[in-house]
Structures are given as structure tokens and as C-alpha cells.
Amino acid sequence: MCDSNRGVNLLRKVKAAALVAALLGGTAPVIIPVAAYAQQNSGLIREIQVEGNNRIESATVNAYLTVAPGDAYDARQINTSLKALFSTGLFADVSFSFNQGVLKVNVVENPIINRIAFEGNNRLKDDVLSAELQLRPRVVYTRTKVQSDVQRILELYRRSGRFAATVEPKVIQLEQNRVDLVFEVDEGEATGVRKINFVGNKAFDDGELSEVIRTTESAWWKILTSDDNYDPDRVTFDRELLRRFYLSAGYADFQVLSSVAELTPDRSDFFITYTVSEGQRYQFGDVKVVSQIDKIDADALLPLIEIEKGEWYNATMVDDAVDALTTKVGDEGYAFIDIRPSVQRNRETGTIDLTFTIAEGPKVYVERINVVGNVRTLDDVIRREFRLVEGDAFSSSKMKRSKQRIENLNFFKSVDVKTLPGKAPDQTVIEVDVEEKSTGEFSIGAGYGTDDGAFGQLGIRERNLLGKGQDLRLNFTLGSSDQQIDLSFTEPYFLDREIAAGFDVYRREEDNQDESSYDEEQTGGRLRAGFKYTEDLSHSFRYTLEQNSYSNIDEDDASRLLLAEDSEFIESSVGHTLTYDKRDSSVAPTEGYFGRLSNDFAGLGGDETYLRTRLEGGYYYPLDREHEWVLSTRAGTGYIFGIGDDTRISQRFMVGGSNLRGFESSGVGPRDIATDDALGGKMYYTGSVQMDFPLGLPSEFALKGRIFSDFGSSEGVDGARAGEIYDTGSVRGSVGVGVGWESPFGPIGIDLSQAVLKEDHDKEEVFRLNFGTRF
């Protein structure tokens, strides 16, 4: 009797221990002691009965057991079965009993999650938090997974700079063994960066290194940036930024020894300390090119390397040299090459000798190209951007360019291009994994410009119409000096060729009263097509049909030349533009050059016949890449002449304002002596030399200064009488300073300029403001 009671008590202790383990996470089942209870209940298992299960089939439970009817009862196997059932995560409690050959398995099922909700989250939306959770509605609830999800949510808040955030999971019991799971979030205050310290730096002071990294110290005025919140991933990125900075400045042995973040006692801020080892500074020594391919002349490739002996070592220049050599050799038909730079340090002389070795790489061909992740965008829209096709010799430079072209579509949040093994050793599979983003846009704009005054803008656009990559746009502009509505459509691959074709339909009303005493209305349409000869050389063609009319002309105060023109006329013209662009950016260039030639011929029907030509170009040179000192020059010229007819005021060139600062819009050029109206010139030229530079303020201000000098002129008017107009054609010039701000509301520019070469009849302008924004 005593042994029997001892066995029962042992079994009760086991069940109690198992229940405690389940409540704590269900991951620590207890091994059943055997002793006297096993002796009393020894024998064969005749039958297995599962009790307590409502949702889970008995056969499912039996499948996890390591015993079956006919087996001898073994406490060790029962213990293994207990562990197996707990490991499924399906059960909150499991217990076994064995009596007279019947093994009973008693289970308590974990509930099913009915709904998951979040409360108290403002900074991170529900969809962001849900994406990180393991648990989902209609999934089995377990404490282990809940605690894991709590940690995932806390990690998200830490990455957004909120280390004081807390998350409390709440369970609401429902009928039919279901629960609602609610995560109560207290986001807390953002955890800032109180101080950033650098240890071991000698060549650059703390202020200079602070400008290199992304993380900044917290300040009250940094309300438009989150870079002053502590983010461990950003600190890791800062280590790489420091490494790149030092490697570009000649410190080839540089290392970031540690980056330590210490939380302040009040848990509101962090102290971040970067410990660095600068090492020795090196200059470039001898630079050589060695070719292991017979038909490649190494000496002929040496001029492609823009590295001079005696310059400070710069890892970026080494990478650029590898890219230049790879492109050149690849253009000569060698797709399978391997270019490796070898570095030979000489610490005594402080120099680094470079040897670029060109070897033949393994021959690999593209077996196929897979596109995944696209739901709305058609495969062809992505595939046509590839510079490689199935069967081509694999080229890493072409694959890199392909990725860039796909990213330039601006249809995707992310683009990941990787290579996978093919069916044969000499074959590879290219996989493109994209994540789509919304391509529909609704924009509201407002702004002010010295030329156009205040304006408002409303636009609707779909950049990926029907997933075909087509661009459809409708814009409305309402301003103090002009109103406009235009509809535009572009097919980037017309007739399955790399030809961007489209049309524009528009209606414009422009107030020219201040400059030339008339208003102009234009209603028309345009057909256009463009293509690229190379990556840098493009050509576009257009046909335009326009109905024009002048209105609100004061006959007592308008120029005789304006009154002599017909107030209504139709223009039918064809034109083209040839562009060669080697700039690093068409929006904010810092390096490179461009040239553009355009011609327009009117006379294919309509009332007007003329030929107009324009030529523009610019060059950008970075004086200091790290500190963004950029010297730029721009110039433009044009000429128009009538064929059998005189040219009109609206067709001639106006100079002043944005293309010649220091003078009002249309403030330079031929002008009516009696009415002071600007008449425009048949010929014009403008030029500008400008230096952009940082203002020494923290980078998050996004403020840059500039100094500039503009020059230009305009001359030539049809039908003018002697002594009727001012038309000297002399050179005008100005000097000035300005400030540009890339604000969160759009670019803002302020220029102060003074005309130094001018005529008495010119209209001068000292202050110029341009402000535009989109929401």
C-alpha cells in the first residue's frame, strides 16, 4: 500500500511540474520518475486513449507518440512522447496514466488566436508591427511565441531610437478556446544622442569626423530628422563611413577598433564613443598594369588609370580604375576577365605601389533570367531593362548596369539581383527579386518665384499604367502670371523597341503685361519620340501644332511692332534635340559635362515659317569631393530667322532673370523706346561661372552657399525702324552670392546680385527668390 501511494504521489508531482513548465513557455517537460509506480503498472500497452482534445484529431496526437499498442510500457518512452507533444506547441498541458493495459493521454489544447491588435502605437503603424510578428490570426497561441514577438516589437522601437519603449501582451479569452491577443505599447520618448566622442584621431578633429558619420548629437532644432536618435544599425553604418573617409584620405591601415554606446542613468540618451586607429598616411607610388592575356596591350590601358604618383592614396580611385579597365577590356570583346589590384605598402617611404593584373576569368554564360516579386508589373517591363539576355556571356558590369536601370524605373522599393548556380558549371542563373511600391501619385504644389509670382499646382500621375511601364499625367497650374492644364502620356518601349514615344495636350494662359504689354493664350498638342544611341547620347524628335492668340493689348501703350502682328495665328513645327550627358546627376550635378543641340522648323502648314536653333552646354568639376566644393560653368546660345516672314515677339529669345541674374526677366535685349516693352532678340547668348560650397553648418541643415558671375546679351528684331528701339547687343554682366536650401518642403533659393556691365535701358534686379514645394 505504501508503494502504491508513493507511485501515485510521484505521478501527481510529475503532472504538476509539467503544468508549471507549460505555463512558463511549454519548453521544459519533466522526465517521469519510474520507481515503484512503474513496477505496479508494468505490462503491455493494449490500447491508447486520447482525452481532452477538441480541435486536434486523436490520430495527430498518436503520430507524435513513440509508443504504440503492443509495446511494453516504458517510462523512458513515455517521457520522450511527453517531450514530443510539448514541442509541437499545440498543447498547454500533457499528462499520461496507465492502468490495466490502457494508456491514457490527457491533453489541454493551446487556444487559437482570433485577432491581434495593437494599442498605444503612434510612431510605428499596425502594418509595420504586424509584419514582424510570428503569430497570426488562426495560429495556435503559445507563451513562447508571444514573448518572442514582444522582443521583436521592442527591437523595432530600438531601431527607431526608442529604447524606453515597453510592450505588455494581454490575452482576452473567448468561447470555443479562442483568444484575442492585444499588445499594449508604451512608446516612451525618443532616445537621443547626448554626446559623440572620438578616441585615437589625430589627423582629423572631432568636428570633421562628426560631419562624416550619419549619427548626430541631439538638439532642439533637429525636429525634421531622426539621425539624432540612437540606432545601432546606423552606428554600424557610421563605422563603414569612417573607414571609407580615411581610406580616401590616404590612411590605408585605418581601423575602427570599437564603437561603444552607453545609456545615461536616466535612460533618455546615449553617449557614443568611436575608438579609431589611424595608422600611417600613404601616397601613391608606382602604378602598373600587367596583362596575362596575349591580345591585350597593358601599356595601352595605363592612361585609363587616373592615378598619379605622389598623390595621396585613395581607395575610391583604385575602385574607379578597376571599373575603367573592366569596361575598356569588356568593350573589346573579353567578357571573361578578372582584374585584381595588388597593393604593396612601403612604410619607410610612405608609399603604396599598385599593380593591376588582368587575367582571364572562368567562362560563364547566362542560362536564364528569373524575375520574382513582381505582382503588378509585367515581366517584360523588367526584362527589357537588362543589358544581358539568356545565352550571353556573363558580365558583372552589365549586370550592375541592369540593376541600375531597373532601379531608375522607380517602380520598386528594392531591387536585388543575384546569381545562382546553373545546370552546368559554366552556366549561371540571374534572379531579380523586386518589391513593388505605389506608382500612383496625387500631388499638390505651391510656391513663389520672382519670375512667375505665387502659384499653386495640382497633379495626378500613374507612372506604371496597367503594369506596362507607361506614364500618364494630368497637371493643373494656377498662378498670378500664368495658368495651365496639360495631359501627357508616354510609352517607354514603343513597338517593343527602346523608343520612348508619347503625346502632350495643353492649354496655357500667360500674363506678359509687365514685360511686353500683352497676354498670350496657347492651345495645342505635341507628338514626340526619343531613343538612345548609347548610354550617354540620346536623340528626341517632336511635332507640335499650336493655336496662339494675343489679348488685352492696350493700343495706346503697346509697341508698334506688337500691334503690327496678327493677334491670332497657328504654328505647325517639327524639331529635334540631340543630347550628350556625362553628368553624375541631371538634378544636382557635381561632376561631368553635357551638351545639347536643338532645332525647330515651323512651316509644315500653319501661319508661321521660321528656323530656330539652340546650343547649350555645361561642365562641373569637384574641387573638393569630401566637402562638396563644386565649380561649374554653363553657356547657351540661339538664333531664329523667319523664312519669308518676320519673327514674332513670342518666338524670339528673352534674356534676364533665371538665365542672367542681376536683371529682371526679359530685362536685357531689344526694347521699344516709346513704350519700354521688351521685344526679344533673334540671337542670344548667356554664360555663367559658379562656385557651390558648404556653409560650415551641420549637414542636416542642407544649406549651401554659392558665388557666381553671369553674362549674356540679346539682339536683333524684324521690322524695326531707325531710332524706334534700343538694340545695342553689348555684353551685360553681373556678380552675386546666393544660398540654396534643400528643405523638406522643396528647394528654396535666394540670390543677391549686382549688374556690373549694363545699359541704361536695362531692367535690373538685386533680389531673386525661388520657392517650390510638393506634398
Side-chain angles (χ1 to χ4, degrees), residues 79 113 160 188-189 254 259 336 432 450 482 565 599 686 699:
N79 184 64
I113 296 175
S160 63
E189 295 295 326
F254 173 79
S259 54
F336 310 108
V432 188
T450 303
D482 66 273
E565 295 183 9
N599 299 100
T686 59
S699 57

Side-chain angles (χ1 to χ4, degrees), residues 650-710:
S650 61
Q651 297 164 352
R652 294 193 285 265
F653 302 104
M654 298 291 181
V655 174
S658 59
N659 61 5
L660 183 53
R661 288 165 289 190
F663 299 88
E664 292 183 6
S665 179
S666 305
V668 169
R671 186 174 299 277
D672 191 290
I673 295 176
T675 64
D676 208 30
D677 285 343
L679 303 175
K682 297 174 63 177
M683 185 277 295
Y684 89 99
Y685 63 90
T686 59
S688 177
V689 178
Q690 179 168 302
M691 173 75 76
D692 293 273
F693 55 88
L695 293 175
L697 298 172
S699 57
E700 52 266 28
F701 278 107
L703 279 169
K704 287 186 178 181
R706 54 178 173 255
I707 57 174
F708 58 85
S709 176
D710 292 352

Side-chain angles (χ1 to χ4, degrees), residues 362-377:
K363 295 184 177 181
V364 179
Y365 297 89
V366 178
E367 178 185 333
R368 67 179 186 275
I369 298 174
N370 295 334
V371 179
V372 297
N374 56 316
V375 177
R376 183 165 174 266
T377 306

Side-chain angles (χ1 to χ4, degrees), residues 268-434:
S268 63
D269 294 303
F270 274 90
F271 290 99
I272 302 177
T273 302
Y274 297 91
T275 303
V276 302
S277 173
E278 293 180 332
Q280 184 177 350
R281 193 180 190 189
Y282 294 89
Q283 294 175 312
F284 282 114
D286 295 328
V287 179
K288 298 186 296 182
V289 177
V290 176
S291 175
Q292 298 178 358
I293 303 175
D294 293 338
K295 295 183 179 180
I296 295 180
D297 184 3
D299 294 336
L301 298 176
L302 193 58
L304 296 174
I305 302 175
E306 298 180 355
I307 296 175
E308 296 183 6
K309 186 175 182 179
E311 286 184 309
W312 290 115
Y313 175 80
N314 189 332
T316 302
M317 297 179 68
V318 177
D319 293 337
D320 292 343
V322 172
D323 290 341
L325 292 173
T326 302
T327 301
K328 179 62 176 178
V329 177
D331 291 343
E332 294 181 4
Y334 293 90
F336 310 108
I337 58 170
D338 182 21
I339 300 178
R340 297 185 181 182
S342 59
V343 175
Q344 183 66 42
R345 289 179 175 83
N346 189 329
R347 289 182 170 84
E348 294 181 359
T349 61
T351 59
I352 289 180
D353 296 333
L354 280 174
T355 301
F356 295 90
T357 303
I358 303 174
E360 190 169 359
K363 295 184 177 181
V364 179
Y365 297 89
V366 178
E367 178 185 333
R368 67 179 186 275
I369 298 174
N370 295 334
V371 179
V372 297
N374 56 316
V375 177
R376 183 165 174 266
T377 306
L378 301 180
D379 278 10
D380 288 345
V381 173
I382 300 173
R383 289 179 179 275
R384 67 195 184 190
E385 300 301 327
F386 257 87
R387 304 295 90 180
L388 291 164
V389 298
E390 283 89 347
D392 279 358
F394 177 79
S395 169
S396 58
S397 61
K398 289 184 178 180
M399 190 173 78
K400 181 179 178 181
R401 176 58 181 159
S402 300
K403 179 183 179 183
Q404 183 182 15
R405 287 174 61 90
I406 296 172
E407 290 174 337
N408 289 344
L409 292 174
N410 199 23
F411 297 163
F412 310 107
K413 289 182 181 178
S414 62
V415 178
D416 182 23
V417 181
K418 56 188 176 183
T419 57
L420 303 174
K423 294 180 179 179
D426 64 342
Q427 292 183 331
T428 187
V429 175
I430 299 177
E431 183 173 281
V432 188
D433 190 356
V434 299

